[in-house]
Amino acid sequence: MKVAVYARYSSDNQREASIADQFRMCRLRAEKEGWTVIEEYSDQAISGSSMIQRPGIQALIMDSARGRFDLILSEALDRISRDQEDIAGIFKRMTYAGVRMFTLSEGEISEMHIGLKGTMNALFLKDLADKTRRGQRGRVEAGKSGGGNSYGYDVVKKLDANGEPIRGDRTINPVQAEVIRRIFRDYAAGKSAKRIAAELNHNGVEAPSGGAWGFSTINGNRKRGNGILNNEMYIGKIVWNRQRFVKDPDTGKRQARPNPEEEWVVQEAPELRIIEDDLWNAAKERQKSIKHERRDDGKGVENHFRDRRRPKYLLSGLTRCGCCGGGYSMISAQLLGCSTRRNKGTCQNNTNIRRDALETRVLNALRHNLMQPELFQEFCDEFTREMNRLRMEGRASIDAAEAEIKKIERELDKLMKLILASGSDDAPTRMMKRMKELETRQRDLRAFLHEADKPPPLLHPNMAHHYRAQVEELYAALQEASEARRMEATDVLRSLVDEIVLTPDADSGKLRIEVRGDLAGILAISLERKKPAGGAGGSQFELVAGVGFEPTTFRL
């Protein structure tokens, strides 16, 4: 019996030794049963309510599909998952792969365990969340912080009579408090958040995150009450329950949702005041005036949001600074520059480039210098061979299953005729048993055919010629006057480019442009598919377009 052991400890039990303890207990049980442990998987400091963000459980699931082991051994079912949907999905996958599940607490896992324990674990999580929120609310109503810490304050560490930590007490940090007052004074005096952030960085003032200041740290979001300019704790008010968090079932990440204002809990805490009312009100008035100016251009806020949803320019959001890794964005009507230098002042890259010049150079590179003919032909040959090999392998297993189904149908017909013609009493019983076995096998084969991935398409050997025709058509569509046709071509092109890195060249004083993308994605245009199956054939490449676009260099 080949066994895989899984262990996990959650963020509410920060004991790294817990993993070793779970592995040790599981190995002892495996030794007692005569099982062979071939692999150990673990997730550390990750909640059991999320499966997507747990690399250990994901690796376990993938290896089970490959038939690496026969049984999963864990301390308890809630170590594998506390989420009802996730644990049911894991059990279903293991059953399909022929892998049993066994825990030290529950023994061999069956459908009954999945239903009962899954419900109990879900109720445990809900009860834990409710108790946590009750505790936070109690602390806020007592004039203490509900959780986390704001810039400008230090956490007060004290113990009660029983030696338990007293949570929620804060005291003003005098150095950070002076930085907060400076930000409010500068903002009320007319300085922008970007300029304030740049000056703080220039003076070596450390940001709340420990790195460099950014304008979003200062501006924040007025509705959510975050950012330096919106934190009401600075005027001696603790506001709790402004928002709640829900987990996205697809990504496993938490998403903020605003709560109605009547559900907010507001508590006065005058001892935490840093900003006087006059200065706070001046900053709020300036925020309102800036918002009003943005509305006065004839468009509503909603229209601005819709405009931002679709990239305004061909390469919007794809350009990066090669010095700091920050974005390259519009710093004027025509020029692109390093966003980090502009917003934080911490990057030394002051080389700008015209947007239309960048687009022209990138398009010419994609059209003419994307590949050297001999290199691309070699890639196409290899890609075609690999895709066709995968197709033949996939087709072989499907053909074998279809052939076996036909053979079973013929044997079932033969058995039925024998049962009707038989005069013996026990012969029909034996033949009926055989028929049930064949029908079970037939159902399994049909289920396999239903779930089997379709083989990749058979590719034409002259794929390079098809590719070139598609690239020419794409380039022509980007030049068309038709807005719909041009936007469609823009979306296709953007899907092929991962990022464009702009790095100053010390010798020429110009920008070196490096275009990175997925060559398999480009090839998929001619296949009329979203993505080649499995990314076969070593699809990742980088196109390096040097100063003046000298001959292209490839890293295939």
Side-chain angles (χ1 to χ4, degrees):
M1 178 73 72
K2 294 183 293 184
V3 174
V5 177
Y6 178 77
R8 176 186 65 83
Y9 75 88
S10 59
S11 55
D12 59 352
N13 177 21
Q14 300 291 339
R15 261 199 337 115
E16 212 163 319
S18 174
I19 293 287
D21 292 341
Q22 292 176 52
F23 280 154
R24 179 173 54 82
M25 296 303 295
C26 288
R27 282 195 296 266
L28 288 173
R29 182 58 183 268
E31 185 179 348
K32 179 181 177 182
E33 299 289 344
W35 300 335
T36 303
V37 176
I38 64 165
E39 191 64 81
E40 293 178 341
Y41 303 84
S42 65
D43 288 305
Q44 301 184 12
I46 302 177
S47 169
S49 63
S50 172
M51 190 175 76
I52 298 173
Q53 298 177 355
R54 290 159 59 190
I57 197 71
Q58 295 293 344
L60 177 76
I61 292 171
M62 286 191 292
D63 287 348
S64 71
R66 300 188 183 108
R68 289 200 60 195
F69 43 80
D70 308 308
L71 182 140
I72 296 172
L73 179 60
S74 186
E75 182 184 52
L77 195 60
D78 60 11
R79 295 301 87 199
I80 297 174
S81 180
R82 289 188 185 273
D83 184 271
Q84 285 177 292
E85 182 181 3
D86 287 346
I87 193 63
I90 293 171
F91 182 76
K92 185 177 180 181
R93 288 184 177 92
M94 295 305 112
T95 302
Y96 179 74
V99 176
R100 294 158 54 200
M101 295 174 65
F102 192 98
T103 69
L104 303 183
S105 298
E106 294 91 3
E108 185 161 358
I109 302 302
S110 65
E111 287 83 354
M112 182 183 68
H113 293 95
I114 298 302
L116 293 178
K117 294 289 288 188
T119 302
M120 290 171 63
N121 288 330
L123 291 173
F124 167 80
L125 287 175
K126 185 178 184 305
D127 184 56
L128 180 64
D130 290 342
K131 288 178 179 177
T132 302
R133 291 182 63 79
R134 284 199 299 272
Q136 290 175 334
R137 180 167 190 144
R139 288 201 297 272
V140 171
E141 291 177 346
K144 300 182 179 184
S145 174
N149 190 34
S150 294
Y151 182 77
Y153 302 96
D154 292 326
V155 176
V156 178
K157 297 181 179 180
K158 294 189 299 185
L159 300 177
D160 61 15
N162 298 320
E164 295 294 325
I166 300 174
R167 306 182 187 278
D169 287 332
R170 301 288 183 267
T171 185
I172 295 174
N173 182 309
V175 176
Q176 295 179 358
E178 189 52 43
V179 174
I180 292 167
R181 294 187 189 101
R182 170 183 171 178
I183 291 172
F184 272 87
R185 285 195 299 266
D186 288 349
Y187 188 79
K191 290 185 180 181
S192 68
K194 290 180 181 178
R195 182 179 173 186
I196 295 171
E199 290 178 355
L200 289 170
N201 292 327
H202 181 72
N203 296 147
V205 179
E206 194 174 80
S209 61
W213 286 86
F215 70 91
S216 60
T217 307
I218 296 171
N219 273 336
N221 185 298
R222 293 185 67 192
K223 290 184 177 180
R224 294 185 179 180
N226 55 30
I228 297 293
L229 295 174
N230 304 306
N231 191 342
E232 293 184 80
M233 191 179 288
Y234 298 148
I235 56 171
K237 284 185 180 180
I238 299 176
V239 181
W240 182 78
N241 203 38
R242 193 189 294 264
Q243 62 187 12
R244 66 189 185 280
F245 291 92
V246 295
K247 187 165 290 186
D248 187 326
D250 294 325
T251 65
K253 295 181 179 180
R254 297 197 314 162
Q255 302 291 331
R257 296 284 188 273
N259 287 329
E261 192 168 348
E262 58 268 18
E263 294 183 10
W264 297 1
V265 178
V266 181
Q267 183 67 36
E268 296 291 336
E271 70 279 5
L272 298 179
R273 178 186 284 273
I274 293 175
I275 302 297
E276 296 303 318
D277 288 337
D278 291 344
L279 185 54
W280 174 270
N281 293 333
K284 293 290 114 179
E285 285 300 321
R286 179 149 189 264
Q287 278 185 320
K288 290 178 183 177
S289 65
I290 292 173
K291 184 177 180 181
H292 181 71
E293 288 171 6
R294 288 174 178 168
R295 285 178 176 270
D296 281 347
D297 61 357
K299 292 183 178 180
V301 174
E302 291 185 1
N303 288 335
H304 279 299
F305 175 72
R306 290 195 184 101
D307 289 343
R308 288 196 297 270
R309 291 185 70 180
R310 177 176 284 277
K312 190 172 182 180
Y313 303 113
L314 177 64
L315 303 177
S316 294
L318 298 176
T319 47
R320 296 282 180 271
C321 174
C323 297
C324 68
Y328 242 73
S329 59
M330 299 300 295
I331 60 173
S332 68
Q334 297 295 332
L335 287 178
L336 284 161
C338 175
S339 301
T340 304
R341 176 181 175 81
R342 184 188 182 207
N343 298 332
K344 299 183 178 181
T346 56
C347 181
Q348 301 304 313
N349 181 6
N350 61 355
T351 308
N352 303 325
I353 186 171
R354 285 179 61 91
R355 176 184 58 79
D356 53 355
L358 175 65
E359 290 178 357
T360 300
R361 291 172 68 180
V362 171
L363 282 176
N364 285 337
L366 291 172
R367 186 185 183 196
H368 300 297
N369 297 343
L370 184 60
M371 78 291 294
Q372 297 173 13
E374 62 276 11
L375 287 178
F376 184 70
Q377 184 63 56
E378 181 180 345
F379 172 83
C380 281
D381 292 343
E382 182 59 32
F383 185 85
T384 303
R385 282 193 296 270
E386 180 65 13
M387 291 290 284
N388 290 345
R389 182 187 67 79
L390 291 174
R391 181 185 186 278
M392 298 305 292
E393 288 181 358
R395 189 68 250 177
S397 59
I398 290 174
D399 289 344
E402 290 175 344
E404 189 174 351
I405 287 175
K406 291 179 180 178
K407 182 180 177 181
I408 289 172
E409 288 175 349
R410 290 195 299 269
E411 193 167 346
L412 287 172
D413 290 340
K414 200 179 296 182
L415 285 170
M416 182 58 71
K417 292 177 182 177
L418 288 172
I419 290 173
L420 295 174
S422 175
S424 172
D425 293 334
D426 59 341
T429 303
R430 292 197 303 271
M431 285 186 277
M432 287 295 292
K433 182 179 178 182
R434 175 59 179 161
M435 286 180 70
K436 286 181 180 179
E437 292 173 354
L438 290 172
E439 286 170 348
T440 300
R441 175 60 179 165
Q442 190 180 49
R443 282 196 301 271
D444 291 342
L445 289 170
R446 283 175 175 162
F448 164 75
L449 290 176
H450 178 71
E451 296 181 6
D453 294 331
K454 292 183 179 179
L458 198 62
L459 303 184
H460 196 278
N462 294 327
M463 184 57 65
H465 299 294
H466 298 291
Y467 161 79
R468 292 183 183 281
Q470 294 292 337
V471 170
E472 288 294 338
E473 183 180 343
L474 175 62
Y475 182 83
L478 289 167
Q479 317 302 319
E480 283 191 12
S482 168
E483 178 70 14
R485 177 76 171 129
R486 191 168 65 253
M487 292 308 297
E488 181 183 349
T490 298
D491 290 342
V492 172
L493 178 64
R494 288 177 60 83
S495 71
L496 307 179
V497 178
D498 289 339
E499 62 179 9
I500 298 170
V501 181
L502 306 175
T503 309
D505 186 86
D507 297 329
S508 67
K510 297 180 180 179
L511 286 171
R512 181 176 181 272
I513 302 174
E514 185 176 351
V515 181
R516 298 175 180 176
D518 189 344
L519 187 54
I522 297 174
L523 193 61
I525 301 174
S526 50
L527 295 176
E528 296 182 352
R529 294 181 55 191
K530 266 188 177 179
K531 246 184 184 179
S539 63
Q540 200 65 27
F541 83 108
E542 290 183 0
L543 160 69
V544 181
V547 177
F549 279 90
E550 289 87 357
T552 304
T553 302
F554 277 85
R555 290 193 284 272
L556 289 178

